[in-house]
Amino acid sequence: MTEVSVKQKKSFSQWLHSRQGQRAVIIFAFSIIPLLLLFVFTYLPFGEMVGFSFYKMKYAGKRVFVGLANYKAVFSRDDIVGALKLSLYYMVGSVVQIALALYLATILSLKVKGANAFKGVMFFPYLINGIAIGFIFKFFFTRGFVFDSVLQWCGFQLDNLPYWLKDQSVNNWSLVGTSVWRYFGQNMILFIGAIMSVDDTLYEAADIDGANKVQQFFHIILPSIRTIVTLNVILSITGALSAFEAPYVITGGANGTGTYFVVMNSIAHTSQKVGLASAMAVVLLLIIFACTILQKLFFKYVFRNADDEDGSREPKQRSGKKKLLGRN
C-alpha cells in the first residue's frame, strides 16, 4: 500500500505566519531602515551634488546651467591646482606614518616591558578631537613657545629658527607632523592586532632554519598582514587627499597651507560658488577611486610571491596529512 503525499502550495498569509516567513520579515525590517537612511542621507545628497556641479549657482537664487565649465575651472584655477599639489606633502607624511607604525608594532608585538602602557600613550592622540589637536599645535608651533623653547634647550638660537607656521618652506611639514602624530597610533594598534594573529609555529620553524628577525619580518610578518597593510595605506592616502582639520584650525589656510578641502570650504561658504565646490568634490572622489585602484594593483604585484606560497603550502599540508594517515 503506497501513500501519495500531495504538497499543497501555501498561501501568502500562511507563509507569513510560518517560521520561514517571520524570519524573512524580521530580516527585511532590520535591513530596510539602515538602507533607507543610507539612501536619504548619503546617496541622494551625493546625486544632488553631482547635479549642482553642472550649474553656476549660490545657496539661494537663480541657477545657470554651465555644463562642464566648473570641471574645467577645477584644473585651471591656480588655488585649486596648488591645493592638489599640497596633498603630496601629506602623502609623504602618510608613508612615514605607516613605516613608523609598522616598526613600533613589530617591536611591541614581542615581549617588551611596559608595552601596554606605551600602546595606550601612542593611541591616545587618536581619541582627541581634531579641533582640540589643532589648538594644541597652534600653541605648540607659535614663535617662542613650546617647540622653540625645547630647541633652545638643545642649544639652538631663537633668531636662527624659522617661523614654523609662516615660513612656506617648513609650515606644511609642520602640519604634516601634526597629522602623523595624531594618526600613527591607530595604525600601530591595527598592525599589532594583525601581527599577534600570525601562527607561532612559523616563527619556530624560522628560528630552526636560522632566520634572523629582519628575515622573519619580510618573509613571515609582512606577507601575513598584507591585508591590513593595504587597508592602512589606502586609508592614509585617502586621508592625505582630504586633509582639513589641521590646516583649517592651525593656520586657516594662510601662507600657502590651504589644502584641497580648505580651498573647497572657502569657495563653497565664503564665495558661495556652490557649483564649483560640488565639481571639486566630484573630482576628489574620482581621484580617491583612482588612487585606491592603483594601490590595490601595486600591493597585488608586491605580494604576488606570498600568494604563490600560500597556494603551494596547502597541497604540502594535505600530502603531509595523507602520509600520517597512511602510517596509521
Side-chain angles (χ1 to χ4, degrees), residues 118-297:
F118 188 78
K119 293 174 190 176
V121 171
M122 292 297 102
F123 185 71
F124 180 72
Y126 180 71
L127 302 177
I128 304 176
N129 182 269
I131 304 299
I133 288 179
F135 284 117
I136 291 171
F137 276 90
K138 188 173 185 177
F139 179 79
F140 181 79
F141 286 120
T142 300
R143 183 70 168 181
F145 281 80
V146 180
F147 192 43
D148 287 343
S149 299
V150 173
L151 292 177
Q152 288 180 76
W153 295 342
C154 298
F156 291 92
Q157 297 296 323
L158 182 62
D159 295 335
N160 296 329
L161 296 176
Y163 286 84
W164 302 106
L165 299 178
K166 292 183 179 180
D167 190 345
Q168 295 190 14
S169 62
V170 296
N171 55 5
N172 284 301
W173 292 117
S174 301
L175 298 177
V176 169
T178 302
S179 297
V180 171
W181 178 81
R182 182 186 180 189
Y183 289 107
F184 95 93
Q186 178 205 19
N187 293 331
M188 183 188 71
I189 294 299
L190 292 174
F191 284 140
I192 290 175
I195 293 173
M196 296 297 289
S197 65
V198 179
D199 191 357
D200 292 336
T201 57
L202 297 176
Y203 298 115
E204 295 174 1
D207 289 333
I208 294 173
D209 292 337
N212 55 35
K213 297 298 181 183
V214 177
Q215 291 172 331
Q216 291 181 18
F217 173 79
F218 283 104
H219 296 284
I220 296 177
I221 295 177
L222 195 57
S224 299
I225 65 170
R226 60 186 182 275
T227 303
I228 300 298
V229 172
T230 304
L231 175 63
N232 276 341
V233 171
I234 290 174
L235 293 177
S236 298
I237 297 298
T238 303
L241 290 169
S242 57
F244 175 74
E245 291 175 341
Y248 182 76
V249 176
I250 297 175
T251 63
N255 301 315
T257 59
T259 57
Y260 194 83
F261 262 43
V262 172
V263 173
M264 184 168 64
N265 176 73
S266 176
I267 290 174
H269 298 126
T270 304
S271 304
Q272 288 202 11
K273 296 181 179 180
V274 179
L276 179 58
S278 299
M280 291 177 65
V282 175
V283 169
L284 180 63
L285 180 64
L286 295 176
I287 292 174
I288 290 175
F289 275 155
C291 290
T292 303
I293 293 171
L294 290 175
Q295 288 172 72
K296 285 186 176 181
L297 293 175

Side-chain angles (χ1 to χ4, degrees), residues 48-66:
E48 290 289 329
M49 184 189 67
V50 174
F52 292 160
S53 66
F54 297 104
Y55 288 88
K56 181 180 180 181
M57 56 177 289
K58 295 184 178 181
Y59 285 106
K62 177 169 128 173
R63 302 180 185 179
V64 179
F65 182 79
V66 293

